[in-house]
Amino acid sequence: MSRRSQAITPELVLRAYQAGVFPMAETRDADRLFWLDPEQRGIMPLDGFHLSRRLLRTVVSGAFKVTVDTDFPATIAACAQPRAESRETWINADIERLFTALHRAGYAHSVECRQGGDLVGGLYGVAIGGAFFGESMFSRARDASKVALVHLVARLRLGGFVLLDTQFITGHLTQFGAIEIPRLEYRARLAEALTIAAEWLEDPPGLEAAIRGLRAVGPDPELR
């Protein structure tokens, strides 16, 4: 189902998320947005998230300066750029406009990774109740988007969130524990999550301890 972008407001987007539906554009230059409601929904179980020991060391090493909500427009713009594996993107100008407005309203958030002051990775999404709807991520340096995801998960756990919606799953996400669940199960989890008054935390106390407490599994390439 499509709808002309001019008729879509930030308020409508929020209502759509609460109903289990989300918008995308077919291409960067598309003038319409499509509403998606997949039969199989990707989620990242917050209590089942895991990462490699190598990545955990990278996260806690300080190789990246990680910030939250300091440059949302630059983060979503970077997510909209073509990738090596795909020259096309689903983030068009209206997606940028709508989600930047949601950021100004306090619903959309970004996690940014910097090196030498340059934005080299990050992600953005929408928080409603105890649900966080992950939208997109990007990386211009090794592990940058992964570090942003680890920081996101730690903050969500500390803030009392219970649902991290990834929409779809990819190999990049399954390595952290992402799974697919049927639409009806997703809607049940979403309904429960929306009743929870979780808190989005930009700089929470205990963040480093929460990150170190994430489950590190799997072989460590540096030890081979």
Side-chain angles (χ1 to χ4, degrees), residues 4-5 8 27 30 37 39 44-45 54 72 86 93 97 101 103 105 115 118 125 139 146-147 149 153 161 224:
R4 289 200 175 278
S5 302
I8 299 177
T27 66
D37 183 14
E39 291 186 10
M44 182 75 72
R54 183 199 64 80
F72 184 92
S86 175
R97 171 183 60 82
H103 171 66
Q115 283 184 326
D118 295 328
S139 184
K146 296 178 181 179
V147 170
L149 178 61
V153 169
F161 286 81
R224 290 179 179 174

Side-chain angles (χ1 to χ4, degrees), residues 67-222:
T67 56
V68 169
D69 288 341
T70 63
D71 200 342
F72 184 92
T75 301
I76 191 172
C79 288
Q81 295 302 305
R83 315 293 174 88
E85 65 275 13
S86 175
R87 302 305 299 171
E88 198 48 82
T89 175
W90 59 268
I91 301 174
N92 69 355
D94 284 298
I95 290 285
E96 289 192 57
R97 171 183 60 82
L98 289 164
F99 284 84
T100 300
L102 288 173
H103 171 66
R104 290 195 297 266
Y107 291 100
H109 303 282
S110 58
V111 180
E112 308 105 6
C113 288
R114 290 182 170 83
Q115 283 184 326
D118 295 328
L119 184 64
V120 295
L123 58 83
Y124 78 96
V126 173
I128 308 174
F132 188 90
F133 307 88
E135 287 297 307
S136 186
M137 59 177 62
F138 79 99
S139 184
R140 296 170 179 160
R142 184 188 183 194
D143 291 333
S145 63
K146 296 178 181 179
V147 170
L149 178 61
V150 171
H151 271 261
L152 172 68
V153 169
R155 282 173 169 81
L156 295 181
R157 288 170 57 143
L158 287 171
F161 286 81
V162 297
L163 177 64
L164 173 50
D165 176 6
T166 66
Q167 300 176 348
F168 305 103
I169 63 170
T170 64
H172 181 77
L173 294 173
T174 55
Q175 66 182 292
F176 296 100
I179 60 173
E180 281 186 329
I181 59 174
R183 179 189 293 152
L184 289 179
E185 181 181 348
Y186 170 77
R187 288 183 176 175
R189 294 194 188 201
L190 174 61
E192 179 182 358
L194 293 175
T195 67
I196 295 173
E199 183 179 2
W200 172 256
L201 302 170
E202 294 186 9
D203 188 21
L207 177 61
E208 183 174 346
I211 290 173
R212 291 181 180 275
L214 295 173
R215 187 160 59 99
V217 300
D220 191 325
E222 294 182 4

